């Protein structure tokens, strides 16, 4: 994805903190073994475990032969998105209808090396890690190879470990525009309060506080 300097993550912690605040639900893109056909795209939860992403998918999923052939795959997460209409972005002194619309969003993309896990204990380890991630309050049976109810279900899934090779993170919230412009858009997002407007406003407010004026931030005092 295109990342302008003003859209880039300020540091690694920024995208890591944003991702931790989401449900870690992304889109896994895998090249089709037939290059004349479209890539395989899967919506799925995933767990971040150090330098790996952990996933499990049903054994009948048609993606497996494509994953077996893939040297790299991409996991994409998108959130806090909002449409910004023309009349919110008109230049100062110009007519509202001459404004240029845009989209706000946060996105993190991982390029990964996939390893398929079929060993029962390996699959149980992945599922246990995902339960701990998404259901830390417990309330579930033990995840063990030889223990009901999950042990007998393990043959129905395959595990996937995605070794992260690179990360692209983008926070597209008009940070190159004047602070006053961004603050007006924040107010309008909060007033409209549709879909993910509140999240987009919160991200823009956070970036305004962190960056202030982009030119000053870029060049320093």
């Amino acid at each position: 994805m295109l990342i302008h300097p003003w859209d880039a993550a300020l540091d690694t912690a920024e995208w890591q903190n944003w991702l931790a605040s989401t449900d870690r639900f992304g889109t896994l893109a895998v090249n089709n073994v037939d290059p004349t056909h479209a890539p395989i795209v899967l919506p799925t939860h995933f767990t971040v475990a150090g330098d790996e992403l952990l996933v499990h998918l049903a054994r009948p999923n048609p993606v497996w032969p494509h994953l077996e052939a893939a040297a790299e795959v991409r996991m994409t997460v998108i959130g806090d998105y909002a449409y910004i209409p023309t009349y919110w972005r008109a230049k100062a002194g110009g007519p509202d209808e001459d404004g240029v619309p845009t989209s706000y969003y946060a996105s993190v993309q991982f390029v990964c090396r996939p390893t398929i896990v079929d060993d029962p204990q390996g699959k149980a380890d992945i599922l246990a890690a995902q339960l701990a991630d998404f259901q830390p309050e417990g309330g579930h049976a033990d995840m063990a190879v030889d223990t009901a109810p999950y042990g007998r279900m393990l043959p129905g899934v395959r595990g996937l470990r995605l070794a992260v090779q690179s990360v692209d993170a983008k926070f597209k919230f008009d940070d190159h525009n004047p602070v006053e412009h961004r603050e007006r858009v924040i107010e309008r997002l909060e007033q409209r309060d549709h879909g993910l407007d509140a999240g987009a406003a919160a991200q823009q407010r956070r970036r305004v506080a962190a960056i202030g004026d982009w030119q000053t931030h870029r060049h320093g005092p």
Side-chain angles (χ1 to χ4, degrees):
M1 61 182 166
L2 172 65
I3 303 177
H4 292 293
W6 52 85
D7 296 332
L10 301 175
D11 51 32
T12 299
E14 182 179 23
W15 69 257
Q16 290 178 333
N17 292 337
W18 177 79
L19 190 65
S21 72
T22 74
D23 289 329
R24 274 85 68 207
F25 191 85
T27 301
L28 178 63
V30 184
N31 285 337
N32 198 304
V33 292
D34 184 343
T36 66
H37 289 179
I40 312 300
V41 179
L42 302 172
T44 182
H45 276 102
F46 64 92
T47 289
V48 180
D51 293 330
E52 288 187 318
L53 309 182
L54 306 181
V55 177
H56 75 278
L57 299 167
R59 185 171 290 276
N61 197 304
V63 75
W64 294 115
H66 308 279
L67 276 169
E68 289 165 354
E72 288 187 343
V73 299
R74 189 179 295 268
M75 179 74 79
T76 299
V77 185
I78 303 172
D80 294 324
Y81 50 81
Y83 172 75
I84 308 302
T86 57
Y87 49 89
W88 289 13
R89 298 184 81 239
K91 292 184 178 180
D96 286 351
E97 59 268 26
D98 286 354
V100 178
T102 194
S103 298
Y104 283 177
Y105 59 87
S107 181
V108 179
Q109 296 189 5
F110 300 92
V111 174
C112 304
R113 185 179 66 251
T115 299
I116 297 170
V117 180
D118 279 322
D119 170 66
Q121 186 59 57
K123 292 189 290 186
D125 291 344
I126 289 174
L127 292 166
Q130 292 201 277
L131 281 170
D133 183 17
F134 295 111
Q135 199 173 322
E137 73 276 14
H140 58 79
D142 289 339
M143 175 56 67
V145 172
D146 299 321
T147 304
Y150 303 126
R152 60 182 172 80
M153 300 178 184
L154 287 175
V157 302
R158 302 180 81 184
L160 187 61
R161 289 184 175 272
L162 303 175
V164 176
Q165 306 299 294
S166 63
V167 182
D168 292 325
K170 180 173 182 175
F171 293 88
K172 185 174 182 287
F173 295 100
D174 262 346
D175 289 319
H176 59 302
N177 278 328
V179 170
E180 294 78 9
H181 167 89
R182 287 137 67 197
E183 289 177 339
R184 286 196 302 271
V185 174
I186 290 170
E187 293 177 1
R188 286 172 158 172
L189 283 166
E190 291 174 340
Q191 291 168 0
R192 187 173 68 179
D193 196 22
H194 171 76
L196 299 181
D197 284 351
Q203 292 304 321
Q204 190 174 41
R205 189 182 299 280
R206 179 185 60 77
R207 295 273 291 189
V208 168
I211 294 172
D213 178 78
W214 167 252
Q215 295 299 327
T216 301
H217 174 84
R218 179 176 62 172
H219 296 296

